[in-house]
Each structure stands twice: as C-alpha cells, then as structure tokens.
Amino acid sequence: MNIRRTIKTRRAMTAVAITTGLVLTVAGCGGGDGGDEDKPDKSASSSSPAKNGEGDEEQKQTEAPETDKVLAEAKDGDINVVINSALRDGGGFVTVSGTVTNNGSQSWLGANWASDERELRSNGGSLSGASLVDNDGKKKYLVLRDTSGRCLCTKFSGRVKQGDTASWFAQFPAPPEGTSKVNFQVGSMPPASIEISESE
C-alpha cells in the first residue's frame, strides 16, 4: 500500500510540474500576440541618428568660419604667423590667438619671441615677448604674468618642425573700451594691425 501511494504521489507531482511548465510556456508565447504594436519602430529609431548627424554637421559648419577667420597675417623670416582672434573679456583682458607655421628648412623654437627679462624668461620659446600697441592712446601692453612671473601665453614645449603648424595664444591687459584697433607684435615680425572683438 505504501509503495502504491508513493508512486501515485510522485505521478501527481510530476503532472503538476509538467502542467505548470506548459502554462508558463503558453503565457510566454502569448505575450508576443500584441502584433506590430509592441515592436519598436525601426524607421523612427533609424531616422533619429540621421537627424542628430545632420545637426552635428550644421553645428560644425557654423563653427568652422570662426577658426578660419584671419584678422591678420605676417612673416618673421621663414615663420608665417596668422592671427585668428582678438577677444576682449569682461575680466579686463584681451586674448589674442592664432597659428604659427614653419616654412623654413630647419626646426624652429621661437626663442626670439620670449621676453628680455631674465627673471621671467623661460627655457625654450614662448610668446612672453609679445605686445599690443595702441597707437591712438600711445600705450604699449605687455603679456600678463601670473603670481609666479610666468606669462599667460603659449610656451612651446618643443621645436616646430619644418612644415608644421602650432597654435598659440597670449593674454594682455585690455585697452580702454573705445579702443578696438591695435597692433600685435612679437619677435622681429612686423606689427600686424588687428581689431578687438567683444565677448558675448
């Protein structure tokens, strides 16, 4: 009797387990009967990245003219200097930035662009000797220094090789509000007339 009851009990438990498995399987399969409504819209998701891509491209196109803008261009021997921006900041200074291209046959360090002050002169090249000249106001503005005497300007970490271009910047005290045209000069480069723009 005990053996028969045990067999019957095992059969009943097996039947319950199989039934439960079937119910869960049917429920799982039945969840997909929502048709196309539950499926993600592939056309919508594929069109979104395209729109984002177009937006990025439009943004790049609007930003490109700023970097390509040339306020002035001058030469210092085989070195070609381009000034792209002269921006007056609300903090009372002007940041001048641009590029320098080495068209010579040897690498260039920019040592003659550094200032003459021995205590402020750094090893290698920098724009510490650059200046802005306000001819109308008869004033010359030198590159700003931090509390350690280091210039707020580009310091060339290495030589600019033949054919290479390097970016640079230098910060100066801002001329009076009414002054917008100044001359930028560094090294033996002839003065380059630039116009200061106001930050937004």
Side-chain angles (χ1 to χ4, degrees), residues 7-182:
I7 292 172
K8 285 181 181 178
T9 303
R10 285 183 181 171
R11 285 180 182 170
M13 289 176 69
T14 304
V16 170
I18 292 172
T19 304
T20 303
L22 289 173
V23 169
L24 291 174
T25 303
V26 171
C29 292
D33 289 337
D36 292 338
E37 293 176 1
D38 294 333
K39 293 180 181 178
D41 187 356
K42 290 183 180 178
S43 62
S45 62
S46 63
S47 64
S48 295
K51 287 181 181 176
N52 290 339
E54 289 172 7
D56 292 343
E57 188 139 347
E58 286 176 8
Q59 188 175 358
K60 286 179 184 175
Q61 288 176 355
T62 57
E63 290 175 358
E66 288 297 320
T67 56
D68 292 341
K69 186 176 180 181
V70 176
L71 295 181
E73 192 169 355
K75 287 191 176 181
D76 183 8
D78 293 324
I79 304 304
N80 190 57
V81 179
V82 173
I83 301 171
N84 299 111
S85 172
L87 188 63
R88 184 196 301 270
D89 192 275
F93 58 86
V94 171
T95 302
V96 182
S97 60
T99 59
V100 54
T101 303
N102 181 6
N103 296 316
S105 57
Q106 298 179 346
S107 59
W108 176 80
L109 181 60
N112 67 328
W113 283 17
S115 62
D116 292 332
E117 306 109 317
R118 291 183 181 179
E119 64 274 17
L120 300 179
R121 194 178 182 94
S122 60
N123 293 329
S126 74
L127 272 90
S128 60
S131 62
L132 290 182
V133 178
D134 174 10
N135 288 325
D136 294 335
K138 301 185 186 309
K139 285 190 178 180
K140 183 177 184 178
Y141 299 91
L142 303 178
V143 176
L144 291 169
R145 263 75 176 179
D146 64 15
T147 54
S148 300
R150 291 173 295 199
C151 77
L152 299 182
C153 64
T154 296
K155 300 169 194 68
F156 299 107
S157 56
R159 293 180 174 272
V160 179
K161 296 180 181 177
Q162 178 185 5
D164 284 358
T165 298
S167 298
W168 58 265
F169 81 94
Q171 290 185 335
F172 303 87
E177 290 280 339
T179 304
S180 60
K181 291 186 178 180
V182 292

